[in-house]
């Protein structure tokens, strides 16, 4: 690089104060100051002008400003402020502040852009942790599953805020095309296209659900995924009862049990229905029923179980007649394990659910039956989902 005589000595003095040259993407050399590239910090400027513009200096290069020097205490304050605003990792916060010359607003935008890009790269990673969020009103209940990679993120209040917000949105999804009462899915791809208005210090404004999830993933540094949603409409005469297991706060949990009670007399005592309904929702979580009644057991499930029991009975070497009796006896046990109406009531195992409902009907003075039930658990069948993308929660309607 050539300099005129008029600027040679001042520029030599500048060069002596800087370290040796390093490469820069702007096709000219730059110098490191205090371990940082001035070019990288955006503080290095060159001006090459004609003799007409600078008659006394000819061609020249001028350093218009150096890297911003701010006290270490102020640096720590800015790092803390940006960390509180974004919840991004400290190393990323500091890196963005340095790259943006300690401009906190510019650094916040930089972090957001950088985080969304990184989040998209993490979208293929398995997210089997997370939470269920459940909300309900007088006519409907909705539950969604929001997944992440670690339980640590699931405990974060931003993650929990978004999960509850998504459940509230799912509750508003029009179900007019669905059955009047009963259980139905609210598909994740439908929810992701909807707009949501968020009011959290670190996640705010109106945006699509898909964008909100991407921003949350950027903040958390993990893959975050809306896996599924599910809703149940209340019967015209009856109630919906719910139970959440492992609940860090109201409306959130890792396992959900939901069921609806239908009662013939609209004047029946709702207090009794609610009490038993809450207990049965907890029963659904604990006992893991697959079917509401024997009639709901699919022929495939029954045939598969029969084949397994037959193979086990044949291994005993007993006569064929004895084997058939063994199979039928074990099938009755199978019904007691997977059919809700046949199961022993977890609160009082001296009676089954069918007997419980008979007793409830006598108490309220009107026949009571279970209309629908649903059981969901965080991460259940996650590998199967990745393979087939077809996995729904256990749900049964009468």
């Amino acid at each position: 690089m050539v300099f005129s005589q008029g600027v040679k000595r001042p520029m030599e003095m500048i060069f002596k104060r800087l370290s040796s040259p390093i490469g820069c993407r702007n096709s000219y050399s730059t110098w490191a100051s205090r371990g940082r590239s001035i070019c990288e910090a955006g503080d290095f400027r060159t001006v090459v002008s004609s003799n007409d513009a600078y008659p006394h200096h000819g061609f020249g290069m001028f350093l218009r400003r150096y890297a911003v020097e701010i006290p270490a205490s102020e640096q720590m304050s800015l790092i803390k402020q940006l960390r509180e605003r974004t919840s991004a990792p400290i190393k990323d916060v500091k890196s963005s502040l340095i790259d943006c010359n300690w401009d906190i607003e510019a650094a916040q935008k930089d972090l957001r852009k950088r985080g969304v890009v990184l989040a998209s790269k993490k979208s293929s990673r398995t997210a089997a942790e997370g939470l269920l969020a459940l909300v309900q009103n007088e006519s409907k209940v909705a539950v969604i599953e929001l997944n992440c990679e670690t339980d640590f993120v699931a405990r974060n209040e931003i993650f929990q805020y978004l999960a509850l917000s998504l459940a509230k949105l799912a509750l508003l999804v029009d179900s007019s095309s669905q059955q009047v009462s009963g259980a139905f899915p609210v598909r994740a791809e439908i929810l992701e296209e909807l707009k949501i208005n968020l009011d959290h210090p670190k996640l705010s404004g109106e945006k699509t659900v898909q964008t909100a999830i991407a921003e949350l993933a950027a903040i958390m540094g993990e893959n975050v995924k809306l896996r599924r949603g599910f809703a149940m409409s209340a019967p015209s005469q009856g109630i919906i009862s719910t139970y959440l297991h492992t609940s860090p706060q109201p409306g959130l949990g890792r396992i959900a049990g939901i069921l609806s009670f239908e009662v013939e007399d609209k004047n029946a005592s709702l207090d009794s229905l609610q009490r038993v309904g809450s207990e049965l929702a907890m029963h659904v979580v604990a006992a893991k029923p697959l079917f509401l009644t024997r009639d709901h057991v699919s022929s495939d499930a029954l045939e598969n179980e029969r084949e397994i029991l037959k193979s086990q009975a044949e291994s005993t070497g007993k006569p064929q007649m004895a084997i058939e009796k063994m199979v039928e006896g074990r099938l009755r046990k199978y019904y007691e394990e997977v059919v809700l109406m046949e199961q022993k009531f977890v609160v009082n195992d001296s009676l089954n659910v069918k007997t419980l409902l008979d007793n409830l009907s006598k108490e309220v003075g009107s026949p009571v039956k279970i209309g629908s039930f649903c059981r969901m658990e965080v991460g259940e069948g996650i590998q199967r989902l990745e393979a087939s993308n077809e996995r729904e929660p256990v749900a049964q309607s009468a």
Side-chain angles (χ1 to χ4, degrees):
M1 190 175 291
V2 179
F3 300 95
S4 67
Q5 284 294 115
V7 296
K8 183 176 181 180
R9 186 169 300 276
M11 294 308 296
E12 285 178 351
M13 293 173 64
I14 291 173
F15 296 159
K16 288 178 181 179
R17 297 172 67 103
L18 302 174
S19 61
S20 59
I22 59 174
C24 178
R25 60 180 176 270
N26 293 329
S27 75
Y28 52 78
S29 297
T30 187
W31 291 263
S33 174
R34 300 193 178 214
R36 290 186 56 241
S37 163
I38 296 178
C39 177
E40 289 177 339
D43 300 314
F44 184 84
R45 302 288 186 273
T46 60
V47 180
V48 180
S49 307
S50 66
N51 287 337
D52 293 334
Y54 295 92
H56 300 293
H57 302 293
F59 289 95
M61 181 185 74
F62 299 90
L63 299 178
R64 296 175 63 181
R65 59 189 176 124
Y66 298 97
V68 171
E69 295 288 347
I70 58 175
S73 59
E74 189 176 340
Q75 292 181 14
M76 292 303 298
S77 176
L78 288 170
I79 290 171
K80 181 180 179 182
Q81 290 179 49
L82 188 55
R83 166 77 171 161
E84 289 174 349
R85 285 191 190 184
T86 64
S87 291
I90 290 179
K91 64 176 183 178
D92 293 338
V93 168
K94 184 176 181 180
S95 175
S96 286
L97 281 168
I98 290 173
D99 290 346
C100 296
N101 217 19
W102 298 96
D103 182 332
I104 192 168
E105 299 298 333
Q108 185 171 348
K109 291 179 182 178
D110 178 66
L111 272 176
R112 183 176 176 182
K113 293 176 183 176
R114 184 189 305 184
V116 170
V117 171
L118 291 176
S120 66
K121 293 179 180 178
K122 295 172 182 175
S123 62
S124 62
R125 300 195 323 209
T126 301
E129 292 293 331
L131 286 170
L132 302 177
L134 183 151
V135 295
Q136 69 182 109
N137 54 29
E138 293 181 355
S139 61
K140 194 164 106 177
V141 60
V143 58
I144 63 96
E145 179 179 354
L146 188 64
N147 294 130
C148 54
E149 296 177 45
T150 64
D151 181 56
F152 176 79
V153 167
R155 295 196 303 269
N156 188 284
E157 53 96 14
I158 310 174
F159 184 92
Q160 295 179 4
Y161 169 80
L162 182 60
L164 282 170
S165 299
L166 294 179
K168 292 174 184 176
L169 183 65
L171 191 67
L172 301 177
V173 172
D174 182 21
S175 60
S176 58
S177 62
Q178 307 286 347
Q179 57 209 80
V180 175
S181 65
F184 54 89
V186 181
R187 305 200 71 84
E189 55 266 29
I190 294 175
L191 281 175
E192 286 176 341
E193 297 301 319
L194 298 179
K195 290 287 186 69
I196 188 169
N197 197 351
L198 300 171
D199 185 21
H200 188 280
K202 299 173 184 177
L203 195 65
S204 61
E206 186 180 61
K207 59 198 73 183
T208 65
V209 168
Q210 192 173 34
T211 299
I213 291 172
E215 291 185 9
L216 177 64
I219 293 171
M220 297 291 99
E222 286 191 8
N223 181 19
V224 177
K225 184 176 182 180
L226 174 61
R227 183 184 176 196
R228 53 184 176 171
F230 188 80
M232 185 183 293
S233 296
S236 56
Q237 291 182 186
I239 63 165
I240 294 181
S241 294
T242 64
Y243 173 76
L244 281 168
H245 187 64
T246 316
S247 180
Q249 63 168 291
L252 297 173
R254 288 187 56 85
I255 313 174
I258 310 168
L259 62 84
S260 64
F261 270 161
E262 297 177 4
V263 59
E264 289 186 6
D265 184 0
K266 62 181 180 181
N267 296 317
S269 170
L270 291 182
D271 290 341
S272 298
L273 293 178
Q274 291 286 10
R275 173 180 53 80
V276 177
S278 297
E279 292 177 344
L280 267 181
M282 181 174 63
H283 170 96
V284 167
V285 167
K288 304 180 182 180
L290 300 177
F291 309 99
L292 180 56
T293 68
R294 287 195 181 201
D295 293 338
H296 287 93
V297 179
S298 65
S299 56
D300 288 343
L302 190 59
E303 187 60 32
N304 183 60
E305 187 66 20
R306 190 184 295 274
E307 286 295 322
I308 293 172
L309 295 176
K310 184 178 179 180
S311 176
Q312 291 174 347
E314 288 175 343
S315 66
T316 64
K318 293 184 178 181
Q320 187 63 33
M321 185 176 295
I323 288 174
E324 290 177 2
K325 289 182 178 180
M326 290 173 65
V327 170
E328 292 306 314
R330 291 176 181 179
L331 272 178
R332 287 194 294 271
K333 182 67 175 177
Y334 171 71
Y335 285 129
E336 291 177 3
E337 291 175 351
V338 301
V339 174
L340 177 57
M341 297 297 289
E342 307 278 333
Q343 288 178 330
K344 298 287 186 182
F345 185 37
V346 294
V347 178
N348 180 3
D349 61 7
S350 65
L351 51 103
N352 62 19
V353 173
K354 183 178 183 304
T355 304
L356 176 71
L357 290 184
D358 290 340
N359 294 341
L360 178 61
S361 298
K362 293 175 183 177
E363 183 179 341
V364 300
S366 178
V368 178
K369 69 175 184 178
I370 297 174
S372 307
F373 80 91
C374 168
R375 184 187 188 277
M376 285 179 66
E377 184 170 351
V378 170
E380 60 185 347
I382 203 80
Q383 296 302 324
R384 178 180 172 185
L385 174 72
E386 291 173 350
S388 66
N389 202 32
E390 291 292 336
R391 172 70 176 166
E392 297 295 344
V394 174
Q396 285 281 309
S397 299

